[in-house]
Amino acid sequence: MASEHAAMLKESVADFIARGMDIGRVRKLRGTPGEYDRAVWKQMADLGWLGIAVPEAYGGMGLGLAETAIVAEGLGRALAPEPYTACAVLAATILAEGDNEPLKADVLPRIAGGDLIPAVAWQEQAGATDGAHVALAATPFEGGYRLNGTKRYVVGAAGADAYIVAGKADSGLVLGYLDRNAAGVTQALEPLADGRHFGTLALDNALVPRERVIATGDAAAAALSRALDRARAVASAELYGVMSRALEMSVDYMKTRVQFGKPIGSFQALQHRAVNLYIQQQLASATLDDSLRVLDRDPEPRQRAAIASRLKARCSDAGVRIAREAIQIHGAIGFTDEYDAGLYLKRALVLAAWLGTATQHRRRYAALALQSED
Amino acid sequence: MAEIDYNALPDADFRAMVREFVETEYPQDMRFLSRRIRMDEARPWWNKLVKKGWIAPNWPRELGGMALDPGKMVIYLEEMERHGVMRAADQGITQVGPILMKYGTDAQKDYFLERTRTGDIIWAQGYSEPNAGSDLANLQTSAVIEGDEFVINGMKIWTSFAQESTHIYLLVRTDREAKKQKGISFLLIESDLPGITIRPIRNIAGHEEFCQVFFDNVRVPRDRLVGKLNEGWTVAKALLGHERLNIGSPRRPQYALMRLEMLARAKGLMDDAGFVDRFVAIKLDLEDLASLYGRYVEQVKRGEPLGPDVSQLKIWAMEVWQQLTDLLVETGAEDGVIEGAHDVAGVELDFLAPFYYARPGTIYGGSSEVQRNILSKYVLELPS
Ligand SMILES: Cc1cc2nc3c(=O)[nH]c(=O)nc-3n(C[C@H](O)[C@H](O)[C@H](O)COP(=O)(O)OP(=O)(O)OC[C@H]3O[C@@H](n4cnc5c(N)ncnc54)[C@H](O)[C@@H]3O)c2cc1C
C-alpha cells in the first residue's frame, strides 16, 4: 500500500514539476521579499502535499516521512523556493506533536489546505541543534506567556502568516503560536545565498495566550526535537534532489562539450571525477531510503536522532560537493549567473547549513552512538 | 624618476621602505578584498604608485620601472601581500609590457609602454572563445589581411573587465590551413573600435566581471601585429610559466586563512579538537605551499627558467584556497549562507564572497585538470 501510494505520488510530483516549476520562475522570485508563490503553494495543497505530515484527524493524510521526502526531492530538483520542509513539515509536525487540541483543530486543517503558512522560530544562535539552546525569555502571566528576545534564521518567514516560537521559562521550554501581525512582533529579513531569506524576529512583550500555547516543558522539548529530526530527514531528501539534478547536468554537459576534438567526458580525469560524485549520490540515496524506513517506524529518540544526523551529514556533504564540482566540470560557464549550476550550488549551501551542518551532525552522531554504555 | 638603485640597498632596508610606503599610503578599507577589483576603484592607488615610480617593479629603469632583480621583486610582492594590497588590472604591467619588450617594434614600444604604465591604457586579455577554452589553440576569431589592415571577425568570451578596458590584446587566426597552433597571431587593438560590441556577463557572485566581445568587420592597421605573422602562439606562451608562479603565490589563500582564524577565535573554536584538527591541516597545507613557492622563487632569483613542473604550484594553491573557503562557509553554519558582510560574534565577516572568489581559481589560467595533464605528460613523462 505504502509503495503504491509512493509510486503515485512520485508521478504526480514529477508531473507537477514538469508543468510549472521551471527555473525561470525561480530566478524571477529570488531576492524578492515575496520569495515564493502563494498560488503554487495552494496548488501543492490541492495535490495533498501539504497535508502529508498532518494527521488524518486534522484534515491531513497522516502519511509517513517517505512520502514527504518524495515531494521534497522533487522540489529540490526544481529548486522550488517554496518552504515545504520548513512550513509544511517542521511547523506542522511541531503543532501535531503538541497537546493543544483546539489549536490543532483550528490550525492544522488550514495548513493542509494551504491557507495558512506558519514558520518556526526556534533558533537564536547559528549552529544550534535543539531546544537546549533556547534562551529567549518566556515569562508566565495569568493568561499565558510574555516573550522577549530575538529569534534568527527563520526559514519561510518572508511570506509566513504565523510563527511557532520557542521560549524558555523557569519551568522549561515553551512553544507558542503567534500571528504574524501580533503586537510586539517585528520581522526583518536577511538575504541568503540562494535568493531566499532568513527571518529575524524581535519579540517585545509579545503575548502568547494560554489558548495559543502548543506545549510546555518536557512535552515541548520532545515535540521540537522530534520535529527537527524529521525535518532534517526531509531537508536531506531535498538535498538529494538538488544533487541528483546537478549531477545529471554535469554528466550531460560532459557528453556534449567538445574540447581538443572530443567530448570532455572522454577524458579520464573527468570520468573519475563524475564517478566519484555518482558514488556520493548513491550513498546519499541508499542512506535516505534506509533512514526514512527506520524513522517511519518511530524509533526511540536517541536512535531517531542518530539516524537523522547520519543522513543529514551525508546529504549535506554530498550535496555541496556535487554542486561545487559541477561548476568545475562546466568550466567558466559554470561560474556565470545565467547558467543554472550556480543556482544548484547556492541551494545546496543553504540546505547544508540549515538544521545543522555535516560536521555538527557527525559530532552529534558521535555523542549519540559512540558513547560508552554505562 | 627617482635615481635610487633599489637593488643596491640591503634587503632589510628595501623591505622597510616598501612597508612604510604601503602602510602610510594604502587605503585601510581596501585591504584584503575578497573580490576582483574594478579599475575605477583601483585608480587612486594606481596613481600613487605611478607618482612614486613603483607601478612597474619588473620594468627597466628607462621605461619608468624599478628594475628590481628577482630577489627584490619578491620582497616587493611579499610586502604588498602582507598588507593585503589589491591587485589592480595589472595585466598591462605583467603581461603586455614584458611581451612588447621582447617582441614589440620600436613604434609599438614607444606608443604603448608609457601609456600602459601610467594607466592611460587598460588592457583586457582576449584569448578564450566559446569553443576554445582549455583547448585555446582551437580559436576561430579570424583576422584577414586586406591591404594595410587586418579585418577581424568572430567572438571572444570570458574577457575579464573588457567593459572598462581601453585596449585588448588578442589572439586571432590568420591562417586557416596551418596546423592549430601555427596560424595564430597576436594583435593589440582598441576596445572601442567600430564593429566591436562588448556584453558584460554576470558571475555567480552577482558581479559583472567578465564579458563577451563581438567583432564584426573590425579594421586595425597591420602595425598592430606583435611578433611575426602566424607566430602569436609563441608570443602568448612566453609568459605562462611566470603566470603560474604568480597564481601559485600563497597570498590569496592566506587572506582566507586569516578570515577563518578570526571566525574560529570569535566562536571559541580554537578549543575544539575537531575543528583545530581540520584548521591546522589546512594551515600546514598552506605553509608547505609557501615553502614550495619559495623554492621556485629561488629558481627565478638565480635566473633559471621555469619548467612545466611549476604547474603544481597553481594546482595546490588554488585547491587549498577552495578548501579553506569551503571550511569557512561550513564553519559559519547558518551565518555562512547569509549574503554580504555581517556581524558574527562581534566580528564583521563575509563568508560567501571569498567562497565565490575562490571558485574559478581551478578553471582560469589553465584548469587544474589541464595542469595535471601537463605534469603527467611533461614531468612524469607518462604515455598519453
Ligand atoms: C573568472 C574567470 C576569468 C577569466 N578571464 C579571462 C580573460 O580575461 N581572458 C580570457 O581569454 N579568458 C579568461 N577566462 C577563461 C578561462 O581561461 C577558461 O575558462 C579556461 O581556459 C577553461 O575553458 P572553458 O571555461 O571553456 O572550460 P572547458 O575547456 O570547456 O573545460 C570544461 C571542463 O573540462 C575539463 N577539461 C578540458 N580539457 C580537458 C582535458 N584535456 N583533460 C581533462 N579535463 C579537461 C576542464 O578542466 C573543465 O573542468 C576566464 C575564466 C574565468 C572563470
Side-chain angles (χ1 to χ4, degrees):
Chain A
M1 146 69 205
S3 71
E4 191 186 307
H5 198 98
M8 271 168 55
L9 187 59
K10 246 186 201 138
E11 219 170 282
S12 102
V13 171
D15 193 53
F16 183 71
I17 281 163
R19 274 188 290 115
M21 292 250 166
D22 65 296
I23 305 273
R25 184 185 76 100
V26 174
R27 288 181 185 278
K28 244 197 345 261
L29 287 170
R30 71 182 167 149
T32 65
E35 183 174 298
Y36 51 89
D37 187 339
R38 206 79 197 203
V40 168
W41 191 258
K42 188 71 188 152
Q43 288 164 7
M44 288 166 57
D46 292 345
L47 287 162
W49 300 357
L50 305 184
I52 296 177
V54 172
E56 277 175 294
Y58 304 104
M61 310 208 305
L63 294 169
L65 272 186
E67 285 81 8
T68 51
I70 291 168
V71 174
E73 182 193 330
L75 296 176
R77 288 182 68 86
L79 295 181
E82 281 69 28
Y84 177 76
T85 308
C87 300
V89 180
L90 180 61
T93 307
I94 292 177
L95 281 161
E97 294 284 311
D99 43 24
N100 185 335
E101 288 305 321
L103 183 66
K104 287 202 244 184
D106 172 24
V107 168
L108 284 171
R110 289 195 279 147
I111 294 177
D115 301 314
L116 174 78
I117 307 182
V120 181
W122 67 279
Q123 215 178 339
E124 292 151 34
Q125 317 154 14
T129 47
D130 56 39
H133 294 93
V134 170
L136 179 124
T139 324
F141 74 104
E142 283 299 288
Y145 291 89
R146 214 185 287 285
L147 303 181
N148 279 291
T150 304
K151 288 287 169 185
R152 295 193 61 196
Y153 317 117
V154 184
V155 172
D161 305 307
Y163 307 109
I164 293 168
V165 183
K168 180 99 185 302
D170 288 343
S171 54
L173 200 66
V174 175
L175 291 170
Y177 181 93
L178 277 173
D179 285 327
R180 183 196 181 97
N181 47 18
V185 182
T186 327
Q187 177 184 280
L189 296 177
E190 292 188 280
L192 291 175
D194 67 354
R196 299 184 300 161
H197 297 85
F198 278 145
T200 299
L201 299 191
L203 301 176
D204 178 16
N205 275 322
L207 299 184
V208 180
R210 185 158 301 133
E211 315 84 74
R212 294 293 181 97
V213 174
I214 298 164
T216 60
D218 289 348
L224 179 61
S225 146
R226 183 165 192 272
L228 284 174
D229 279 334
R230 293 176 78 80
R232 282 172 183 128
V234 181
S236 298
E238 209 176 330
L239 270 162
Y240 177 69
V242 172
M243 75 178 85
S244 299
R245 183 68 199 116
L247 181 59
E248 275 170 24
M249 282 172 64
S250 301
V251 171
D252 286 348
Y253 192 73
M254 286 173 64
K255 291 176 184 164
T256 51
R257 169 70 174 169
V258 173
Q259 290 283 276
F260 303 98
K262 296 182 231 171
I264 58 172
S266 66
F267 301 127
Q268 210 163 54
L270 289 196
Q271 290 172 346
H272 287 187
R273 190 169 208 132
V275 170
N276 288 339
L277 299 182
Y278 168 77
I279 292 171
Q280 286 301 314
Q281 184 240 14
Q282 289 296 303
L283 285 168
S285 162
T287 306
L288 185 63
D289 277 356
D290 264 2
S291 306
L292 293 171
R293 221 178 349 257
V294 178
L295 290 172
D296 269 336
R297 275 190 240 124
D298 239 330
E300 49 86 26
R302 195 187 168 91
Q303 194 197 354
R304 180 197 73 214
I307 295 252
S309 280
R310 182 187 130 201
L311 175 61
K312 183 68 167 50
R314 171 64 61 190
C315 290
S316 294
D317 262 356
V320 173
R321 177 170 164 193
I322 290 173
R324 212 169 49 204
E325 294 199 20
I327 306 263
Q328 178 69 21
I329 287 172
H330 281 83
I333 196 166
F335 191 58
T336 62
D337 184 67
E338 287 168 63
Y339 201 76
D340 292 339
L343 300 182
Y344 280 84
L345 175 59
K346 292 172 178 192
R347 177 58 56 79
L349 285 175
V350 172
L351 287 171
W354 183 50
L355 300 177
T357 64
T359 304
Q360 286 174 313
H361 280 297
R362 279 191 291 266
R363 286 204 179 158
R364 186 163 173 258
Y365 183 90
L368 291 161
L370 303 182
Q371 238 169 41
S372 62
E373 314 224 340
D374 50 25
Chain B
M1 275 324 118
E3 280 309 304
I4 309 172
D5 179 0
Y6 298 107
N7 295 329
L9 293 173
D11 281 358
D13 293 359
F14 178 68
R15 187 182 291 280
M17 183 175 144
V18 177
R19 183 171 300 189
E20 214 232 30
F21 178 71
V22 293
E23 282 178 356
T24 47
E25 296 294 330
Y26 188 76
Q28 195 64 22
D29 61 347
M30 301 286 268
R31 293 180 67 192
F32 299 107
L33 293 178
S34 52
R35 58 190 166 84
R36 291 213 286 177
I37 194 84
R38 306 178 67 105
M39 194 56 201
D40 51 358
E41 293 175 279
R43 185 73 72 176
W45 173 240
W46 184 290
N47 290 343
K48 270 186 196 168
L49 286 172
V50 172
K51 201 161 152 228
K52 179 93 178 157
W54 282 14
I55 190 73
N58 57 334
W59 289 22
R61 204 68 90 68
E62 60 276 17
L63 294 172
M66 297 169 83
L68 299 185
D69 65 31
K72 289 289 189 297
M73 181 74 200
V74 167
I75 294 172
Y76 175 93
L77 289 176
E78 277 172 358
E79 286 307 312
M80 296 283 166
E81 292 172 4
R82 198 193 54 81
H83 195 67
V85 173
M86 65 186 149
R87 235 185 94 193
D90 60 358
Q91 299 186 91
I93 305 293
T94 60
Q95 305 260 328
V96 183
I99 282 175
L100 283 179
M101 290 172 213
K102 192 160 175 193
Y103 296 100
T105 62
D106 287 343
Q108 287 169 343
K109 290 182 200 171
D110 282 348
Y111 184 81
F112 289 112
L113 284 174
E114 173 63 5
R115 288 173 174 81
T116 296
R117 190 182 67 83
T118 57
D120 291 335
I121 287 181
I122 303 296
W123 293 96
Q125 182 190 59
Y127 287 5
S128 305
E129 296 180 10
N131 291 314
S134 299
D135 184 13
L136 184 57
N138 190 43
L139 61 92
Q140 301 301 330
T141 295
S142 68
V144 175
I145 296 174
E146 280 182 18
D148 285 346
E149 291 179 325
F150 285 106
V151 182
I152 306 168
N153 278 290
M155 188 215 295
K156 293 286 170 184
I157 197 166
W158 318 128
T159 326
S160 293
F161 298 121
Q163 75 273 45
E164 55 186 45
S165 69
T166 62
H167 287 68
I168 305 177
Y169 56 108
L170 199 64
L171 287 176
V172 289
R173 187 157 297 288
T174 37
D175 182 354
R176 295 216 160 266
E177 310 303 315
K179 230 186 87 200
K180 265 175 140 187
Q181 278 89 342
K182 291 284 188 235
I184 292 172
S185 298
F186 193 104
L187 304 180
L188 306 176
I189 71 167
E190 287 85 349
S191 308
D192 62 355
L193 293 173
I196 293 184
T197 311
I198 296 176
R199 182 181 81 91
I201 302 172
R202 199 172 290 280
N203 68 19
I204 59 172
H207 300 145
E208 289 190 340
E209 176 191 9
F210 40 33
C211 298
Q212 236 170 330
V213 186
F214 302 90
F215 301 87
D216 179 16
N217 285 317
V218 176
R219 294 180 169 268
V220 298
R222 276 185 75 164
D223 65 11
R224 294 314 182 79
L225 175 72
V226 180
K228 296 206 181 87
L229 190 69
N230 297 329
E231 288 184 14
W233 193 252
T234 321
V235 177
K237 286 270 150 167
L239 288 168
L240 277 185
H242 286 89
E243 191 181 30
R244 272 157 210 166
L245 180 65
N246 240 329
I247 295 182
S249 149
R251 170 182 49 119
R252 275 176 291 195
Q254 268 160 0
Y255 293 177
L257 186 80
M258 281 177 34
R259 277 200 181 74
L260 181 59
E261 195 168 334
M262 270 160 66
L263 173 69
R265 293 202 187 281
K267 292 184 93 165
L269 287 169
M270 287 304 184
D271 302 324
D272 176 321
F275 176 82
V276 168
D277 190 28
R278 286 174 81 185
F279 176 80
V280 172
I282 292 194
K283 186 174 166 65
L284 295 185
D285 282 348
L286 193 47
E287 287 185 11
D288 300 347
L289 165 71
S291 295
L292 189 65
Y293 177 73
R295 190 186 267 185
Y296 284 100
V297 167
E298 289 305 314
Q299 191 178 335
V300 170
K301 281 193 198 173
R302 290 193 302 269
E304 293 167 19
L306 292 169
D309 51 308
V310 72
S311 283
Q312 64 181 309
L313 264 187
K314 187 195 177 249
I315 294 174
W316 191 240
M318 295 296 118
E319 293 182 0
V320 171
W321 186 24
Q322 289 186 348
Q323 283 167 29
L324 261 164
T325 59
D326 296 349
L327 184 57
L328 182 68
V329 168
E330 217 222 302
T331 306
E334 286 88 348
D335 287 323
V337 293
I338 295 173
E339 288 277 355
H342 50 115
D343 181 279
V344 177
V347 182
E348 188 78 355
L349 271 172
D350 190 332
F351 296 84
L352 292 166
F355 176 86
Y356 294 143
Y357 188 34
R359 287 313 102 189
T362 49
I363 296 170
Y364 58 62
S367 71
S368 284
E369 287 79 14
V370 168
Q371 308 286 338
R372 283 189 169 86
N373 289 346
I374 292 172
L375 288 166
S376 70
K377 186 166 174 190
Y378 297 104
V379 180
L380 303 182
E381 298 182 353
L382 295 169
S384 52

